[in-house]
Amino acid sequence: MPKVISYTPAWLSKPNPGHEIFTTKAVGALNVATNGSSASSKRTAKPGPRRTIARRGTEVFIAVGKEIRWADLVYLKEAWEDKQSRNTFGKGKDSDNQYEGDHAQGYRTIKTQVAEDIRQLIISPHANYIAILTTHTVHVAILPEPSQLTAADTGPMKLKYYTLGPTTHVTSQSGIASALWHPLGVNGTCLVTVTEDAVVRLWELSIADRWSFDRPTLAIDLKKLADGTSVDQDFGASVHGTSKGFSPDSFEMEVASACFAGRGSGGWSPMTLWIAMREGDIYALCPLLPEKWSPPPTLIPSLSVSIVAKVAAQEDEQGTSPQSKLLAQQQLLWMSEIDNQEPLHIEGPAGEPPAEVYTRPGKPGRVPKLQGPFELDLAPEESEDELDGLLSDICVIGPKIDTDELMFGEEDDLELDPVDQEGLSVGIVCLLTSSGRLSVCLDLDGVEAQWLPKSKAKMLRFVDDFDPPSLLTFEVMDTSRDGEVWEGNWPVFSHDVNSRYSFYITNTSSVTFISLSPWVFRLENELKEATAGADFRIGLLANGQSSIRERLLTQKSNDKSTPLAASAVIQDPDLGYFLLTATSHGPIALTFEAPDLHFDLDRRSRSPTYDPEPDKPLILFEPRPCFEPAYTLEEPSAMPAFIERQRHGKYKRLLQEEVRLSPATLTIITEAHKVVSEETHRVGTAAAELFRRCEKLQLDLKSHISKAREVANRIKAITGDDAPPGEEVVDANQKVETRIEAAKVRQQELNKRIDEMRKKASRSSSRELSDKEKAWIDEVQILNNKITSQDGEKDSKEPWARYEKVKALKEDLLKQVQDREVKDEGVATPNVKVPSEIRKAKMTQVMGLLDRETALVEAAKSRLERLSLS
């Protein structure tokens, strides 16, 4: 998330020229009169996008009324800094200074040929053309080089203009919803216009051919195409315009906005036009190409690989639907015609490589099929607020380029922009409503090229197999507060310069930053790896609050007639990370903290003598915008104009006579009271706000003084200046060294204690015992009790008791045998004959008993040894 470090800088504030170029007031060489007074109030109040700021590097073009102001922001900043330095050192004006005298001032006024206020400014991809849009007309101007704009002549400048469609885009026809420069146009010269009555026109512009500005090379009426059944039908727009009567199509297919994905997107995205209808429907046209088009190096190979793989898979797979086979054959026919062409190489603009130009295939047809309306899966429930369902803008982020699949088996590597290779392998469609509700949808199926069949019979045969396209709603969030939603609200998207997965949403009175990066890369890992438990992790990812949403600017104003213009984001070493928006009263700028760089990439490219830049000082205060009094205090009173109107009205005689009580006098006084009461109310509100700000300024000043006093006391405590008189003053360095040594000793003690606690914890902590381990412990305990018990019981059958009894019997038997031998030596052995069978049986019985007792003794001994070892 970008961190705001400062608001509108001084060189864009009053009374500098950087502020005045955004307003309708005259300043210096601008000599600008107030515009917009002759415009129709109905058209001025008509809601619509306000993209009145366009940029070319650090140059900005601002639409103010019917004029365009040009300014070089770096030049304005340096001129202001030079002026401040001269005022500081007391130097006067110097005619040789580039910022003084008759030199260029860094800003110019550009006169236009429009009849109404300018609503949108759109610069071509190579920054050599600019499209100027009003509510109904489109003009294309050729932009001069920056050196021509910064010439010594500071007067109003006239450009070379071309009226686009002088009989098509006129006030008697439908208004302009969107104007887009086609990403695959030859050197950025193809302009796509989409009118509110759902007519798409492609204009392939050429300065050498003025007729290219009069009629489009391709015109498609989406209402006709939606009901089309065969590619042979005529889907062109009517030359005389559409009927003004009411119809369901004219109501449901009123266009709100349209867009392309980026040129560096993968798949069919660069040639897919997405159209958002005002009532909430989403459509797609693919492929929408001009007659001559210039693809990037990876587009045709990637499409060829995917189409051939699809056809091969359908041949091997059983049960493929007829419509899928027809679609694959159409795509193969389309790609075959491109492969058979020999591209034409033409020179591009300065600094750009030569462009390869192809001709649009004629088969299966030049008009693609209208895909949609898309079904929004997991869409939010319908709201009672009507504005929640009215779309205002659409933004599409195409899938990344799969270089691994494209370059499989190839030895060479493609040199692509790292930004295009990172991200999600599926497209993201962002929808914005008039109430500020943002819906982030995933295009999991992917939009591919589709055409209508050649005959109606084929279409009727495949109707049953048709599945409507769908988008999966991943996340829904609100960007506007309750008090900011009104019927004239028209939020718009503004792309970021650092990531294609972040953007800004400009509302009537606020700017909000949105970043999808926290979940995009995690989702891509889950989709790519597809390991066990991926469904569970994706569910957690979808249910969590993943996207970053941060409001950066809130304009506290009840005047809804001065909405914010769509934000322009600039990143330049001289300006920093910079966001610029404006109202009719002046510019509003936000300077962000520079984003973190990829240090690993920097280290690889650094030279051995690289000298890093010094660290920037820490920002210890919270930035906040400077307070500007309400513009009501600067506006002139409307009473002089009211009196002037009365002097030329039917009551002009009463102004020269004495005041008398009459209906005419009452009428004049009543009208004058309305004017005065409205002015006094606005002035009173502005004065009250100024009074509250003054009171708050006193409180802030007291807070700053207390903080400064606290900091001063801390500094004195460090330097020793706070010591009482008579006490020995210790040097500040000595204090610091003592504190450092004490901190080191304490750190060593803490590390030692932590190591001891870790050892104790490792010895004491153990996992919970299983049931088998608990049973084994009980058995060992029982055996231990049996072995270590006291021999107090005589008839015990325990092993230890039996062992002791066997030992006693052994000793007793040995003693008896010895006594018997002694007696036998002194007494003659009686002549008693015992049968040998009895003697042998007795001996066998005795030996068996001895072996049994011996085995028992050995078993008990070995078991005791095992227990002692364990």
Side-chain angles (χ1 to χ4, degrees):
M1 183 188 71
K3 181 181 179 181
V4 180
I5 59 176
S6 65
Y7 287 86
T8 307
W11 51 274
L12 283 179
S13 303
K14 296 178 183 179
N16 299 298
H19 177 274
E20 302 302 329
I21 61 176
F22 289 85
T23 64
T24 58
K25 298 179 181 180
V27 54
L30 290 178
N31 296 326
V32 178
T34 303
N35 295 315
S37 59
S38 61
S40 173
S41 59
K42 183 182 296 185
R43 288 170 185 160
T44 303
K46 180 181 178 181
R50 292 191 72 255
R51 296 184 173 92
T52 56
I53 301 177
R55 73 176 189 92
R56 182 176 63 175
T58 59
E59 304 172 70
V60 291
F61 298 85
I62 308 103
V64 180
K66 302 177 186 177
E67 293 181 345
I68 298 177
R69 313 284 178 79
W70 169 86
D72 189 344
L73 298 180
V74 175
Y75 197 98
L76 292 176
K77 179 181 179 182
E78 292 177 351
W80 178 83
E81 292 176 349
D82 180 77
K83 182 178 178 181
Q84 294 299 115
S85 63
R86 289 179 174 275
N87 294 337
T88 302
F89 295 102
K91 295 181 180 180
K93 292 186 178 180
D94 186 2
S95 59
D96 295 334
N97 187 6
Q98 62 173 337
Y99 305 111
E100 298 292 343
D102 297 332
H103 297 285
Q105 301 299 315
Y107 52 87
R108 295 286 295 273
T109 299
I110 300 176
K111 294 293 184 179
T112 63
Q113 300 175 353
V114 298
E116 297 180 352
D117 290 350
I118 301 173
R119 301 292 290 268
Q120 300 185 59
L121 294 177
I122 305 168
I123 291 185
S124 63
H126 295 304
N128 51 355
Y129 297 98
I130 183 171
I132 305 169
L133 279 68
T134 63
T135 55
H136 289 76
T137 61
V138 180
H139 294 77
V140 178
I142 302 175
L143 289 180
E145 295 295 329
S147 58
Q148 299 180 13
L149 292 170
T150 54
D153 183 11
T154 58
M157 185 176 186
K158 292 183 179 181
L159 303 180
K160 191 172 183 180
Y161 293 92
Y162 297 91
T163 302
L164 192 70
T167 60
T168 304
H169 297 309
V170 292
T171 55
S172 60
Q173 301 296 335
S174 297
I176 305 294
S178 292
L180 313 166
W181 294 97
H182 201 294
L184 302 182
V186 179
N187 290 334
T189 57
C190 178
L191 185 64
V192 180
T193 59
V194 185
T195 56
E196 295 176 354
D197 60 347
V199 177
V200 179
R201 295 179 175 88
L202 274 73
W203 308 79
E204 299 181 49
L205 308 178
S206 175
I207 299 177
D209 183 11
R210 292 187 60 91
W211 289 101
S212 62
F213 294 88
D214 291 342
R215 289 191 177 182
T217 57
L218 181 63
I220 305 173
D221 191 343
L222 300 184
K223 294 188 292 294
K224 295 181 181 179
L225 189 59
D227 300 330
T229 57
S230 173
V231 73
D232 301 326
Q233 293 177 305
D234 182 17
F235 302 110
S238 176
V239 179
H240 303 288
T242 58
S243 175
K244 300 297 182 180
F246 172 80
S247 67
D249 288 341
S250 63
F251 179 72
E252 296 179 358
M253 299 193 72
E254 179 185 357
V255 177
S257 181
C259 73
F260 285 98
R263 178 180 172 87
S265 303
W268 300 89
S269 296
M271 59 184 73
T272 303
L273 176 66
W274 292 83
I275 306 103
M277 301 302 174
R278 188 71 170 138
E279 294 299 319
D281 292 336
I282 308 298
Y283 294 88
L285 273 178
C286 179
L288 182 66
L289 291 173
E291 186 68 26
K292 301 293 183 180
W293 58 290
S294 175
T298 59
L299 180 59
I300 293 179
S302 62
L303 292 180
S304 180
V305 170
S306 62
I307 291 173
V308 172
K310 181 189 294 185
V311 174
Q314 289 182 356
E315 292 178 355
D316 298 338
E317 185 179 355
Q318 300 294 332
T320 304
S321 63
Q323 184 175 357
S324 299
K325 293 182 179 180
L326 175 62
L327 176 60
Q329 293 299 326
Q330 288 178 333
Q331 294 179 359
L332 184 61
L333 179 63
W334 185 82
M335 182 55 66
S336 300
E337 188 171 345
I338 294 178
D339 293 337
N340 295 331
Q341 295 182 19
E342 187 66 26
L344 177 65
H345 296 269
I346 64 173
E347 291 294 331
E352 297 291 336
E356 293 184 348
V357 179
Y358 289 84
T359 303
R360 179 181 59 207
K363 296 180 181 180
R366 65 174 189 169
V367 178
K369 178 185 176 182
L370 182 63
Q371 303 180 41
F374 284 77
E375 293 184 355
L376 299 181
D377 298 336
L378 301 179
E381 298 180 358
E382 294 186 2
S383 173
E384 297 180 357
D385 189 356
E386 183 181 358
L387 297 179
D388 287 339
L390 297 179
L391 295 182
S392 63
D393 202 1
I394 181 173
C395 176
V396 177
I397 306 173
K400 68 174 183 178
I401 300 175
D402 192 354
T403 54
D404 297 335
E405 180 181 356
L406 180 60
M407 301 304 295
F408 180 75
E410 300 289 340
E411 296 181 357
D412 300 333
D413 294 332
L414 285 175
E415 295 183 0
L416 299 177
D417 189 355
V419 177
D420 296 332
Q421 302 183 46
E422 298 178 351
L424 200 58
S425 57
V426 298
I428 300 177
V429 180
C430 301
L431 306 175
L432 195 59
T433 65
S434 295
S435 63
R437 174 176 292 181
L438 172 65
S439 299
V440 181
C441 306
L442 301 180
D443 182 19
L444 299 179
D445 299 330
V447 174
E448 297 183 354
Q450 292 188 22
W451 296 267
L452 293 173
K454 281 289 184 181
S455 63
K456 298 180 181 180
K458 290 184 178 180
M459 185 61 190
L460 293 175
R461 194 188 313 165
F462 301 144
V463 161
D464 296 336
D465 299 333
F466 176 74
D467 293 331
S470 63
L471 299 174
L472 177 61
T473 304
F474 186 85
E475 190 173 8
V476 178
M477 63 185 76
D478 292 325
T479 60
S480 299
R481 298 169 182 169
D482 295 337
E484 299 173 348
V485 179
W486 62 294
E487 60 276 4
N489 195 24
W490 197 283
V492 292
F493 290 103
S494 298
H495 295 283
D496 194 10
V497 295
N498 292 315
S499 174
R500 64 193 191 114
Y501 291 102
S502 60
F503 47 84
Y504 297 86
I505 296 176
T506 307
N507 208 332
T508 304
S509 58
S510 64
V511 177
T512 305
F513 172 76
I514 303 292
S515 177
L516 312 179
S517 300
W519 59 266
V520 162
F521 299 99
R522 293 167 56 192
L523 180 60
E524 176 62 19
N525 293 334
E526 298 295 342
L527 296 177
K528 186 176 181 180
E529 298 176 359
T531 57
D535 296 340
F536 174 73
R537 293 191 296 272
I538 291 177
L540 292 178
L541 192 63
N543 295 329
Q545 297 295 332
S546 303
S547 298
I548 297 176
R549 176 186 57 182
E550 183 69 21
R551 173 166 289 204
L552 303 176
L553 174 66
T554 301
Q555 184 186 16
K556 297 181 180 180
S557 174
N558 296 326
D559 187 5
K560 298 180 180 179
S561 62
T562 58
L564 292 173
S567 302
V569 185
I570 304 172
Q571 188 168 8
D572 184 77
D574 296 320
L575 297 175
Y577 190 13
F578 196 75
L579 182 142
L580 179 65
T581 182
T583 65
S584 59
H585 300 301
I588 299 175
L590 286 80
T591 303
F592 303 120
E593 187 178 6
D596 295 334
L597 300 177
H598 299 284
F599 295 105
D600 295 337
L601 297 177
D602 291 345
R603 292 193 187 101
R604 297 174 191 170
S605 59
R606 286 175 183 172
S607 62
T609 59
Y610 172 76
D611 187 13
E613 296 181 359
D615 295 335
K616 297 180 180 180
L618 294 177
I619 300 175
L620 302 178
F621 60 90
E622 181 182 356
R624 57 183 178 181
C626 297
F627 170 71
E628 294 184 2
Y631 301 103
T632 305
L633 301 178
E634 300 179 0
E635 293 178 353
S637 175
M639 282 302 297
F642 172 76
I643 296 174
E644 188 66 24
R645 287 198 307 269
Q646 298 302 323
R647 286 178 180 175
H648 299 282
K650 60 181 180 179
Y651 300 120
K652 61 181 180 180
R653 183 177 56 85
L654 298 178
L655 298 179
Q656 300 175 359
E657 298 178 354
E658 296 180 359
V659 179
R660 298 177 181 178
L661 300 179
S662 65
T665 305
L666 179 61
T667 302
I668 294 177
I669 294 177
T670 303
E671 294 178 357
H673 181 267
K674 292 180 181 179
V675 176
V676 173
S677 62
E678 183 180 354
E679 287 188 357
T680 54
H681 173 71
R682 289 189 283 109
V683 171
T685 304
E689 178 65 21
L690 181 60
F691 179 77
R692 286 192 294 268
R693 287 286 182 157
C694 292
E695 286 188 338
K696 188 174 184 300
L697 182 62
Q698 296 178 359
L699 299 177
D700 293 341
L701 183 59
K702 292 180 180 179
S703 176
H704 292 167
I705 293 174
S706 62
K707 290 182 179 179
R709 185 183 297 110
E710 181 181 354
V711 172
N713 294 334
R714 293 177 62 183
I715 293 174
K716 289 181 179 180
I718 294 175
T719 57
D721 296 339
D722 61 336
E727 293 186 4
E728 182 181 359
V729 179
V730 183
D731 191 337
N733 293 333
Q734 184 65 29
K735 283 187 176 182
V736 172
E737 292 178 359
T738 304
R739 292 180 62 186
I740 292 175
E741 293 297 330
K744 288 182 179 179
V745 173
R746 180 168 177 78
Q747 183 69 22
Q748 293 176 359
E749 295 177 355
L750 291 175
N751 291 335
K752 185 177 180 181
R753 291 177 60 186
I754 290 173
D755 293 338
E756 293 178 355
M757 294 178 65
R758 187 183 294 111
K759 292 179 181 179
K760 291 181 180 180
S762 62
R763 290 195 301 266
S764 61
S765 62
S766 61
R767 63 182 180 84
E768 188 178 355
L769 299 177
S770 62
D771 295 338
K772 291 185 178 180
E773 291 174 340
K774 292 178 180 179
W776 183 79
I777 291 176
D778 294 340
E779 183 180 356
V780 171
Q781 187 66 32
I782 293 172
L783 186 59
N784 182 47
N785 294 335
K786 290 181 179 180
I787 293 174
T788 58
S789 299
Q790 300 296 330
D791 50 352
E793 299 180 0
K794 297 181 179 180
D795 299 333
S796 176
K797 300 294 184 181
E798 302 299 334
W800 64 270
R802 295 177 63 186
Y803 178 70
E804 295 295 335
K805 187 175 181 180
V806 168
K807 288 175 64 176
L809 289 174
K810 179 182 177 182
E811 297 294 334
D812 191 13
L813 289 174
L814 289 175
K815 185 176 180 181
Q816 290 180 9
V817 169
Q818 291 176 358
D819 295 341
R820 188 62 179 260
E821 288 178 354
V822 172
K823 290 181 180 181
D824 289 345
E825 290 178 357
V827 181
T829 303
N831 191 8
V832 179
K833 293 183 178 181
V834 180
S836 59
E837 293 81 0
I838 296 174
R839 188 168 58 250
K840 290 179 180 181
K842 291 293 185 180
M843 289 299 296
T844 303
Q845 184 178 5
V846 171
M847 294 302 296
L849 291 174
L850 290 176
D851 293 339
R852 183 178 179 184
E853 295 298 331
T854 303
L856 290 173
V857 171
E858 293 296 333
K861 182 179 178 182
S862 62
R863 192 165 186 180
L864 290 173
E865 290 177 353
R866 288 196 304 272
L867 290 174
S868 63
L869 290 176
S870 62

